[in-house]
Amino acid sequence: MPSTLAKEATISVLLGRFNDHRLPRILALKKMAERGERLGDFDLRYLERVIGDVHHLQHLSAGSARHQALLAKIITLYTTIIAAALENERQANSR
């Protein structure tokens, strides 16, 4: 079982990667979906990796209300993007 210090270091690295790399891309995908654009396979695989990171962070940060609140916001953002992308697919397929 990893030490508390090792867990905090891992959480710090994952959150840093999220803020620096993942969040800008996720927000760009959100804008695309909100404009009615369809997300490609590469975009969807990217979102899958993001949600995988979130699940890993949830496991590591169990018991930390601060981290859990942040992860809940990320999951909400992910859900918003997926819902918009699904609606865009429905509309594209109904044409």
Side-chain angles (χ1 to χ4, degrees):
M1 176 176 261
S3 70
T4 302
L5 184 58
K7 281 185 181 182
E8 285 299 320
T10 302
I11 290 168
S12 178
V13 167
L14 289 173
L15 288 176
R17 178 173 64 185
F18 180 82
N19 283 328
D20 296 341
H21 302 286
R22 301 245 194 251
L23 185 58
R25 176 95 194 276
I26 292 168
L27 294 175
L29 292 174
K30 182 177 184 266
K31 286 181 182 179
M32 285 175 58
E34 288 174 340
R35 287 191 304 258
E37 296 178 39
R38 296 169 72 184
L39 301 182
D41 289 339
F42 182 76
D43 299 323
L44 296 173
R45 282 193 304 274
Y46 186 81
L47 289 172
E48 286 176 11
R49 284 194 306 274
V50 168
I51 206 67
D53 282 354
V54 168
H55 286 297
H56 185 68
L57 278 165
Q58 281 180 317
H59 174 71
L60 288 173
S61 64
S64 170
R66 179 174 60 108
H67 290 134
Q68 294 299 319
L70 174 62
L71 295 173
K73 289 179 183 179
I74 296 168
I75 291 169
T76 299
L77 178 60
Y78 173 87
T79 303
T80 301
I81 295 167
I82 293 299
L86 181 59
E87 182 58 31
N88 295 343
E89 289 296 322
R90 284 185 187 138
Q91 289 181 3
N93 290 330
S94 68
R95 293 180 189 154

